[in-house]
Amino acid sequence: MKKYIKNNILLTISVISFILLLIPVTVFLYHFGGNIISNDLSVWASFGDFIGGTINTILALSSLIILGLLTHNIGKQSNEENKNISLLLKRIDSYEQLAYFLTEVFTSVHAMTIKVTKIRKPGQTIEMINKIKEDIEKDAKVFLQFYSLLATFEQRYSYLYKYDFSLKEFQDLIDEAEKFTIFIDDLINKNDDEIIEYQDPKVINKLFLVLEKLQKELK
């Protein structure tokens, strides 16, 4: 019952106002209903004052209450819309931060793959290998920025999405990025015979899949 009244507050107020309007009329008829209709203008004037004074007061009070409720509801709706817009803008911003790396990571990984292949070629001097490693370190900066965003993305932005970041596809994306980050670190800091076997990361395909899921919520 309370829930119905809350959801139909305007209707409830209207019904209560109508009942209150009937009270003075009912009281008047109860006391004076047995009398003949007067031909005295002053009596009708008094009747008008009685009805007007009571009914206008009730109507004014009801109008004030309804106006206040409408103002509150409009304000509440406006705040809700502003909140939704704010969340949508944040969601778009976070999505664009992640989507930015789609081409950047592809370019970075492709460049590093070519340079790793050069290191593996026989006949490379130490100076040549060190120079290639320096170039790889420059290319790796973009990927390390991507991994930094990816590793903290769930903690920073999961409240904006309905997407379940605990899904295997997202965790696989982080794992692949982490493996390649470890490989880059080993490549730069370890001797050639200590470097783990290079494997082409499947980051781009996995990132594209996650972005495709997140994109559906940008509405």
Side-chain angles (χ1 to χ4, degrees), residues 6 9 64-80:
K6 183 178 180 181
I9 188 68
L64 184 63
I65 294 174
I66 292 173
L67 180 61
L69 287 172
L70 290 175
T71 302
H72 172 74
N73 289 337
I74 292 173
K76 184 178 179 181
Q77 184 177 1
S78 178
N79 290 337
E80 189 68 24

Side-chain angles (χ1 to χ4, degrees), residues 159-185:
Y159 74 97
L160 297 172
Y161 296 92
K162 296 178 181 178
Y163 177 80
D164 185 2
F165 288 91
S166 64
L167 290 174
K168 187 175 183 297
E169 62 190 18
F170 186 77
Q171 298 305 316
D172 284 348
L173 172 60
I174 295 179
D175 290 342
E176 287 291 336
E178 184 179 12
K179 289 177 185 177
F180 195 66
T181 302
I182 293 172
F183 172 79
I184 294 170
D185 184 67

